[in-house]
Amino acid sequence: MRTTFTVYHNEHISSQPFEEVVNAFESTVGSVEDTGFPALLAETKNADEFEASIHSREGSSGFMRFLTVDHRAWLARIGLNTKARMYTIGNPLIARTMLEHDIAAGLNVPVRLMIFEDPASVTTRLTYDLPSSLMSGLQNEKVAAAAKKLDAKLIALAIHATGVAV
């Protein structure tokens, strides 16, 4: 089976330096990168403990980092000098609001975004695909409604980090 749907890509273009955007972003996003998500699961025995552990790891944005890929580090190995980081962020408590209606929503949560420097325009860009558009292929109204709330949280985070709306 193949489904075709439209994905909306948001790009927040800021005149702030790359490091400032990254710092603003990372300061409001919690993390499970230090111990890993499997360790978080292992330390909790029931739903209440799991939820409390998630809340203790989420940042003020409601998100946490699961993975950070510093593209700059490996691109330097092949002679490209650019500042770029890709993040996988989310919150299992937010993901639950979609997955409980269609487990296939798990393909697109947690979400990915990228912050990179564009030397040609002397800007820093924060980019991501809008979760509701990624979920639209599921054709599930309850998933769509929950994904719209995720959109709003992601947009607010991007505006906070860049100071720029789409």
Side-chain angles (χ1 to χ4, degrees), residues 91-129:
N91 183 319
L93 305 177
I94 296 170
R96 175 181 64 193
T97 67
M98 292 165 273
L99 294 167
E100 66 190 0
H101 302 295
D102 191 334
I103 195 68
L107 175 63
N108 295 304
V109 290
V111 298
R112 292 180 310 138
L113 63 83
M114 187 160 165
I115 301 173
F116 65 95
E117 183 178 74
D118 179 17
S121 63
V122 193
T123 59
T124 301
R125 298 170 184 241
L126 189 153
T127 67
Y128 54 91
D129 295 328

Side-chain angles (χ1 to χ4, degrees), residues 72-86:
R72 180 183 193 178
W74 71 267
L75 286 170
R77 302 280 192 283
I78 60 170
L80 296 174
N81 184 23
T82 188
K83 297 176 183 176
R85 288 189 189 166
M86 188 279 298

Side-chain angles (χ1 to χ4, degrees), residues 132-144:
S132 63
S133 68
L134 292 168
M135 302 294 182
S136 68
L138 298 176
Q139 299 179 2
N140 182 310
E141 289 181 27
K142 291 179 180 178
V143 171

Side-chain angles (χ1 to χ4, degrees), residues 22-66:
V22 165
N23 289 338
F25 169 79
E26 290 185 355
S27 71
T28 61
V29 177
S31 180
V32 293
E33 288 182 297
D34 57 346
T35 60
F37 195 67
L40 182 144
L41 289 174
E43 71 186 24
T44 60
K45 305 297 182 231
N46 58 50
D48 290 337
E49 288 181 10
F50 177 73
E51 191 167 326
S53 186
I54 294 299
H55 284 307
S56 74
R57 296 301 203 119
E58 66 190 12
S60 59
S61 64
F63 292 110
M64 62 183 69
R65 287 190 323 267
F66 292 96

